[in-house]
């Protein structure tokens, strides 16, 4: 869901720049960080952003750069002239009427006047109007398209990463199967040794029955089948749905459940190591899935 898009609109009085930044998020959290957009346009912008970007934390910025003519209009000439007349009157009454005739004196006075209240008119209410709104609206569309393009490129990288890790989990589980025969024999040998150490007679037939029951409790065939089904469902979802992110999160939870159960039944050092490796891969898939729509 991470993305960035930027677009510009050239208006009659300057340039509007639209920027949209997005981060991971479960819902559509839209923040319009500008005072330039007319209030009656805000709902439409929010709806457009939500429809295009679906979900995530989305920050919408608008900046304004006036052209030279517009910058000049921002000076309130009447107020500045009034200040200048008053300064001339004060200089005359002080007995130095010619001070303003000197270039350095006039320059210093004008520099001071420009800092006085109301000389610079910074009102921006009329920057975006009904007449130029289509240009601004198109810039918003272009910025959204840029965000989606950014997301698409990042999505291709994410897809390659998470699918390769799911395949790695399956390959590691194949390694687990190779230890199955050894694991069963090791468990049997350990139990028999414990019985011999007790030096107690036991019913061989009953022992075999209990051994079968015990080994069935440690059997991981169901976990293996379910994990493979979950991995297939993961791939079908990421390949077949337009916005699979939330569903992938639920599938990852189920994958983790089967891996954890395998670990609890393992009773074998090499299988435990394989489980740790699968958990590591799955955690990386979980982290990356947070950035998938």
């Amino acid at each position: 869901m991470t993305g960035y898009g930027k677009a510009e609109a050239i208006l009659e009085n300057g340039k509007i720049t639209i920027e949209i930044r997005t981060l991971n998020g479960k819902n559509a959290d839209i923040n319009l960080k500008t005072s330039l957009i007319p209030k009656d346009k805000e709902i439409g912008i929010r709806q457009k952003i939500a429809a295009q970007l679906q979900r995530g934390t989305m920050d919408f910025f608008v900046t304004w750069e006036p052209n030279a003519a517009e910058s000049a209009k921002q000076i309130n000439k009447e107020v500045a002239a009034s200040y200048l007349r008053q300064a001339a009157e004060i200089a005359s009454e002080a007995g130095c009427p010619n001070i303003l005739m000197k270039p350095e004196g006039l320059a210093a006075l004008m520099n001071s006047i420009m800092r006085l209240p109301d000389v610079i008119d910074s009102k921006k209410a009329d920057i975006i109007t009904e007449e130029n709104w289509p240009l601004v609206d198109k810039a918003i569309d272009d910025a959204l398209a840029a965000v989606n393009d950014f997301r698409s490129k990042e999505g291709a990288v994410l897809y390659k990463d998470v699918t390769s890790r799911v395949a790695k989990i399956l390959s590691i589980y194949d390694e687990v199967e190779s230890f199955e025969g050894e694991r069963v024999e090791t468990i049997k040998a350990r139990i028999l040794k414990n019985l011999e150490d007790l030096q107690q007679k036991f019913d061989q037939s009953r022992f075999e029955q209990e051994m079968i029951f015990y080994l069935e409790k440690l059997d991981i065939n169901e976990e293996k089948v379910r994990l493979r089904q979950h991995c297939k469902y993961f791939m079908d979802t990421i390949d077949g749905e337009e916005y699979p992110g939330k569903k992938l999160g639920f599938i990852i939870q189920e994958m983790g459940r089967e891996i954890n159960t395998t670990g609890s039944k393992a009773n074998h050092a090499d299988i435990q190591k394989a489980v740790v490796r699968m958990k590591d891969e799955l955690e990386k898939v979980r982290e990356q899935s947070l950035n998938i729509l």
Side-chain angles (χ1 to χ4, degrees), residues 31-43:
N31 305 303
L32 303 185
K33 298 189 174 182
T34 175
S35 59
L36 296 175
I37 297 294
K39 293 296 181 182
D40 62 322
K41 303 294 184 184
E42 288 187 3
I43 293 178

Side-chain angles (χ1 to χ4, degrees), residues 40-95:
D40 62 322
K41 303 294 184 184
E42 288 187 3
I43 293 178
I45 291 174
R46 289 180 181 276
Q47 291 174 341
K48 178 178 290 191
I49 292 174
Q52 288 281 329
L53 304 183
Q54 294 299 313
R55 64 189 181 99
T57 299
M58 312 165 198
D59 293 331
F60 178 87
F61 302 89
V62 180
T63 54
W64 162 247
E65 183 181 336
N67 55 28
E70 182 65 17
S71 297
K73 290 178 183 178
Q74 290 180 2
I75 300 175
N76 194 321
K77 296 180 181 179
E78 292 183 1
V79 174
S82 176
Y83 281 131
L84 185 59
R85 285 194 299 271
Q86 293 178 59
E89 292 173 1
I90 293 171
S92 178
E93 292 174 1

Side-chain angles (χ1 to χ4, degrees), residues 134-268:
L135 295 173
V136 178
D137 194 39
K138 182 180 182 303
I140 295 172
D141 289 337
D142 292 343
L144 288 170
V147 173
N148 280 324
D149 183 60
F150 186 105
R151 283 179 163 186
S152 295
K153 292 176 181 177
E154 186 182 65
V157 176
L158 281 174
Y159 177 88
K160 183 178 180 180
D161 183 63
V162 298
T163 54
S164 67
R165 293 189 186 282
V166 170
K168 183 69 177 295
I169 290 171
L170 288 172
S171 69
I172 295 173
Y173 216 105
D174 289 340
E175 295 177 23
V176 170
E177 287 186 299
S178 68
F179 297 119
E180 271 292 273
E182 178 186 337
R183 181 178 77 112
V184 171
E185 293 304 320
T186 300
I187 293 172
K188 285 182 178 181
R190 185 171 66 245
I191 293 174
L192 285 171
K193 184 178 183 305
N194 290 337
L195 285 173
E196 290 174 359
D197 291 343
L198 291 172
Q199 297 181 349
Q200 296 290 328
K201 292 183 180 180
F202 59 90
D203 187 319
Q204 186 66 34
S205 177
R206 179 64 183 275
F207 172 76
E208 291 295 337
Q209 291 176 2
E210 293 295 333
M211 180 68 75
I212 292 171
F213 177 71
Y214 181 69
L215 291 177
E216 282 180 349
K217 289 177 65 177
L218 297 180
D219 183 66
I220 58 173
N221 187 64
E222 288 186 12
E223 286 73 20
K224 175 180 62 180
V225 172
R226 285 197 293 262
L227 180 62
R228 285 177 173 163
Q229 289 175 340
H230 294 329
C231 289
K232 182 179 184 303
Y233 190 29
F234 184 99
M235 294 302 302
D236 291 343
T237 301
I238 199 171
D239 286 333
E241 298 194 12
E242 187 175 6
Y243 304 114
K246 288 185 177 181
K247 185 179 288 188
L248 292 180
F250 299 135
I251 298 172
I252 290 168
Q253 288 180 8
E254 295 304 314
M255 292 168 65
R257 197 187 316 278
E258 305 308 329
I259 293 173
N260 287 333
T261 306
T262 299
S264 67
K265 292 182 175 182
N267 276 277
H268 190 279

